[in-house]
């Protein structure tokens, strides 16, 4: 089996050691770092993400794979930086102001990183101003917001309104998600995308950035 | 305010630790053996870092009416409005696993140990439910032959803003639970609500209410099957 396919398969199995070894071997064999990333690590994450979407595997399996990806990135990351390899795009994420539940947001960050995006995690209880300022300062294409409480969902609307006030609609797209959030709510507040769950957030961000 | 002061209950973490099979089932772990070492690690962390504590106070239907109505934002057809007047006994409860378990989960995510962090989070959520079951059984012991079920603000048409009146009545602050202006409880692994004891048939909620369309959890049916 080809080495990059082996890395991809090991990653899907959540085998950190094999992924790390395989990545080191691929580097030693002078395979271009971007190819190792795209055809080995990201290919594996994409495959398990698709299986998750088909309910063939569950979240802990995806997280095991993501953990293996972190291990594979250890030797690869310095080379990607050296070669100035761009990410798929930059996404600013956070849990909205007043809300301290961050497991869902963390999962989204893990999945997006696994898919090849650069993620700026603003943490919990993030104000509308902080979301917009961070996206502008970081030159991010997407803002991803999460809320677990119906009472904090209104902050999402404040962010879309602030984006409009600052004429940033064409530059920054907004994706919302979380237990009480619905597609209808996303449309109503002027968000560009609605992510049903962490895996869906990757598909949603890819679509908004033209990678689908 | 209570006829009898709310009772504080403390459980050893091992008593509310969910069955491993429940986590395996809930998380759909097909190859459970792959996750076994992590589950064992999570169980150890749970036992070391959680401090399950509860507060239960019996309340009259009249007193509960004020708690239930809260800030007047409930759904018009909230099923609990029909259920609680038929109850033979009601008790408010607050339950927490303490702040340390949440910090532990957070630090696991921060150090990229997110599989363990996620499993510990699931374990803690199930443990909260288990602690509610314990409180419910203790309450039910005093009312032999009745079925007891827990209902919480934020679910099934009972607006989360009712947390405010619930907190005024039972004061979960005494066991370390606080409420912010968005009605979010801290520590995160905390839960509050009302225990409703009565004939089994009063708990017959069917998920056909307008607000059920937007509900992603649909745990009401599972919960109903456990009512004895």
């Amino acid at each position: 089996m080809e080495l990059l396919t082996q890395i991809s398969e090991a990653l899907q199995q959540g085998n950190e050691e094999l992924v790390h070894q395989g990545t080191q071997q691929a580097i030693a064999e002078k395979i271009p770092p971007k190819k190792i990333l795209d055809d080995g690590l990201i290919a594996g994450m994409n495959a398990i993400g698709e299986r998750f979407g088909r309910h063939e595997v569950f979240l802990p399996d995806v997280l095991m794979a993501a953990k293996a990806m972190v291990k594979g990135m250890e030797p690869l990351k310095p080379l990607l930086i050296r070669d100035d390899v761009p990410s798929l795009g930059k996404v600013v994420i956070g849990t909205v102001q007043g809300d301290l539940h961050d497991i869902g947001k963390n999962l989204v960050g893990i999945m997006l990183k696994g898919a090849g995006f650069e993620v700026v995690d603003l943490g919990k209880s993030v104000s509308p101003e902080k979301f917009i300022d961070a996206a502008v300062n970081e030159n991010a294409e997407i803002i991803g917001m999460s809320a677990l409480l119906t009472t904090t969902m209104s902050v999402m609307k404040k962010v879309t309104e602030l984006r409009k006030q600052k004429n940033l609609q064409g530059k920054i797209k907004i994706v919302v998600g979380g237990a009480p959030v619905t597609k209808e709510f996303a449309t109503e507040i002027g968000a560009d995308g609605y992510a049903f769950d962490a895996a869906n957030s990757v598909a949603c961000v890819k679509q908004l950035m033209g990678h689908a | 305010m209570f006829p009898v002061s709310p009772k504080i209950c403390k459980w050893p973490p091992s008593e509310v630790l969910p069955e491993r099979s429940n986590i395996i089932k809930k998380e759909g772990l097909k190859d459970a053996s792959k996750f076994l070492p992590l589950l064992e690690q999570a169980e150890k962390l749970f036992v070391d870092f959680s401090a399950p504590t509860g507060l239960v106070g019996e309340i009259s239907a009249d007193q509960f009416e004020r708690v239930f109505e809260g800030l007047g934002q409930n759904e018009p057809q909230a099923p609990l409005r029909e259920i609680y007047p038929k109850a033979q006994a009601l008790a408010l409860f607050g339950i927490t696993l303490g702040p340390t378990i949440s910090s532990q989960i957070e630090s696991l995510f921060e150090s990229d140990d997110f599989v363990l962090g996620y499993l510990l989070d699931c374990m803690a959520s199930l443990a909260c439910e288990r602690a509610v079951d314990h409180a419910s059984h203790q309450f039910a012991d005093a009312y032999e032959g009745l079925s007891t079920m827990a209902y919480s603000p934020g679910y099934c048409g009972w607006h989360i803003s009712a947390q405010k009146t619930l907190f005024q009545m039972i004061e979960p602050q005494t066991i370390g639970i606080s409420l912010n202006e968005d009605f979010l409880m801290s520590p995160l692994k905390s839960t509050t609500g009302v225990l409703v004891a009565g004939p089994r048939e009063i708990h017959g909620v069917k998920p056909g209410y307008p607000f059920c369309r937007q509900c992603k959890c649909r745990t009401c049916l599972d919960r109903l099957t456990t009512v004895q």
Side-chain angles (χ1 to χ4, degrees):
Chain A
M1 195 192 298
E2 200 228 339
L3 180 56
L4 297 184
T5 311
Q6 282 175 23
I7 293 173
S8 166
E9 303 249 318
L11 186 138
Q12 291 174 61
Q13 291 297 317
N15 192 326
E16 292 178 37
E17 208 173 312
L18 267 187
V19 171
H20 192 253
Q21 280 172 10
T23 308
Q24 281 182 317
Q25 192 185 332
I27 293 167
E29 289 180 12
K30 308 276 184 226
I31 297 174
K34 187 169 181 345
K35 192 168 171 55
I36 303 172
L37 178 70
D38 289 344
D39 299 349
L41 301 176
I42 291 179
M45 279 306 291
N46 284 342
I48 197 148
E50 283 165 17
R51 288 168 66 196
F52 177 73
R54 293 194 299 267
H55 308 290
E56 290 170 12
V57 294
F58 290 84
L59 204 47
D61 296 287
V62 181
L63 292 175
M64 284 280 250
K67 185 95 169 44
M69 173 143 187
V70 170
K71 204 74 185 161
M73 284 299 285
E74 280 175 10
L76 198 60
K77 202 168 182 181
L79 305 180
L80 293 169
I81 293 168
R82 182 200 67 193
D83 294 354
D84 210 11
V85 174
S87 68
L88 278 187
K90 200 182 257 191
V91 186
V92 162
I93 61 167
T95 304
V96 297
Q97 197 164 43
D99 210 326
L100 298 175
H101 296 96
D102 64 350
I103 297 291
K105 178 267 297 170
N106 290 342
L107 297 178
V108 167
I110 291 162
M111 301 286 253
L112 285 171
K113 280 183 198 165
F117 289 95
E118 191 178 344
V119 176
V120 179
D121 187 346
L122 301 178
K124 301 176 277 193
S125 195
V126 179
S127 69
E129 294 76 16
K130 194 170 173 188
F131 271 117
I132 296 292
D133 290 350
V136 171
N137 295 337
E138 293 282 348
N139 211 15
E141 293 95 337
I142 305 272
I143 291 175
M145 290 185 280
S146 162
L148 197 78
L149 300 169
T150 49
T151 46
T152 56
M153 281 163 62
S154 57
V155 178
M156 293 174 164
K157 191 177 180 194
K158 287 182 186 163
V159 178
T160 57
E161 284 170 354
L162 194 57
R163 176 183 66 164
K164 197 174 175 186
Q165 274 172 32
K166 294 187 181 260
N167 280 320
L168 292 167
Q169 298 102 303
K171 198 169 180 293
I172 302 167
K173 306 278 186 204
I174 292 177
V175 179
V176 293
V181 179
T182 60
K183 196 170 190 298
E184 291 72 30
F185 174 78
T187 307
E188 187 189 309
I189 64 165
D192 305 284
Y194 160 69
F196 178 79
D197 58 23
N200 186 245
S201 69
V202 175
C204 185
V205 167
K206 276 185 176 173
Q207 192 182 18
L208 287 174
M209 292 184 67
H211 295 305
Chain B
M1 194 164 286
F2 281 90
V4 179
S5 296
K7 189 179 156 196
I8 293 179
C9 326
K10 285 182 188 285
W11 300 281
S14 57
E15 212 168 286
V16 299
L17 182 70
E19 298 284 334
R20 213 175 271 175
S21 58
N22 285 348
I23 298 171
I24 289 168
K25 187 181 163 201
K26 184 170 183 277
E27 291 305 316
L29 305 178
K30 281 183 186 164
D31 182 6
S33 61
K34 190 165 85 174
F35 294 95
L36 214 53
L38 284 167
L39 283 171
E40 283 170 1
Q41 240 181 304
E43 284 170 354
K44 190 175 179 323
L45 289 171
F46 181 83
V47 169
D48 289 347
F49 291 104
S50 69
T53 310
L55 184 69
V56 181
E58 204 162 335
I59 185 172
S60 69
D62 286 345
Q63 285 174 315
F64 181 66
E65 185 181 4
R66 196 171 73 79
V67 173
F68 174 71
E69 291 304 335
L71 304 184
Q73 295 183 57
N74 294 337
E75 295 287 340
Q77 295 174 301
L80 188 54
R81 182 175 284 121
E82 304 297 322
I83 294 169
Y84 83 80
K86 297 175 195 158
Q88 292 182 11
L90 298 161
L92 294 181
F93 69 88
I95 281 167
T96 183
L97 298 182
T100 323
I101 190 79
S102 295
S103 316
Q104 188 60 30
I105 292 165
E106 202 172 314
S107 70
L108 286 169
F109 271 93
E110 278 167 6
S111 58
D112 279 342
D113 216 345
F114 39 75
V115 192
L116 183 57
Y118 179 74
L119 290 176
L120 184 58
D121 184 77
C122 295
M123 199 171 273
S125 296
L126 286 173
C128 260
E129 288 174 21
R130 203 155 177 209
V132 174
D133 287 344
H134 280 324
S136 182
H137 290 147
Q138 283 172 15
F139 177 57
D141 282 347
Y143 296 96
E144 210 176 321
L146 297 182
S147 299
T148 306
M149 194 160 164
Y151 299 83
S152 292
Y155 296 91
C156 302
W158 187 11
H159 197 267
I160 194 170
S161 58
Q163 286 279 35
K164 191 169 180 179
T165 41
L166 188 148
F167 266 66
Q168 283 166 355
M169 184 70 85
I170 194 174
E171 296 180 341
Q173 299 91 327
T174 53
I175 56 164
I177 310 176
S178 63
L179 190 70
N180 77 4
E181 59 186 19
D182 292 304
F183 313 109
L184 173 75
M185 284 184 287
S186 184
L188 281 182
K189 295 299 175 192
S190 302
T191 181
T192 57
V194 63
L195 299 172
V196 178
R200 195 185 184 284
E201 56 271 20
I202 69 168
H203 299 293
V205 181
K206 290 194 178 80
Y209 295 92
F211 49 83
C212 298
R213 281 198 296 270
Q214 298 196 341
C215 175
K216 292 176 190 167
C217 64
R218 296 286 176 115
T219 52
C220 53
L221 293 175
D222 291 340
R223 277 163 24 91
L224 272 173
T225 59
T226 64
V227 177
Q228 291 167 354

